[in-house]
């Protein structure tokens, strides 16, 4: 059962995600680079969205996300 409630500490939201095995090596590179540059994975995630999807029409966002599947 999926919860629609977001758990929020005093100043941050927290989440859990799973990484498919085929993306494990890439995820480890992202994680290491975030750690090395002292940026959270959450900030990386949001900034990546803003750079690649923000401002696009919803149909284009849907098409790009479907292509990732």
């Amino acid at each position: 059962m999926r919860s629609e409630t977001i758990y929020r500490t005093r100043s941050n939201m927290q989440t859990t995600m799973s990484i498919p095995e085929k993306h494990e090596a890439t995820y480890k590179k992202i994680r290491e680079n975030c750690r090395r540059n002292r940026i959270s994975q959450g900030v990386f995630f949001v900034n990546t969205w803003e750079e690649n999807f923000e401002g696009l029409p919803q149909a284009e966002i849907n098409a790009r996300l479907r292509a990732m599947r």
Side-chain angles (χ1 to χ4, degrees), residues 33-45:
N33 278 286
C34 285
R35 186 197 64 75
R36 186 179 304 121
N37 290 283
R38 297 186 348 209
I39 182 173
S40 74
Q41 292 174 52
V43 169
F44 175 81
F45 174 76

Side-chain angles (χ1 to χ4, degrees), residues 2-3 15 23-24 29 37-38 45 47-48 56-57 59-60 62 67:
R2 185 173 279 186
S3 172
T15 189
H23 297 301
E24 186 175 334
K29 288 180 200 173
N37 290 283
R38 297 186 348 209
F45 174 76
N47 283 341
T48 300
L56 293 176
E60 177 67 17
N62 293 344

Side-chain angles (χ1 to χ4, degrees), residues 54-69:
E54 199 69 34
L56 293 176
Q58 189 61 51
E60 177 67 17
I61 293 171
N62 293 344
R64 289 183 180 198
L65 293 177
R66 277 193 301 270
M68 288 182 189
R69 266 192 280 168

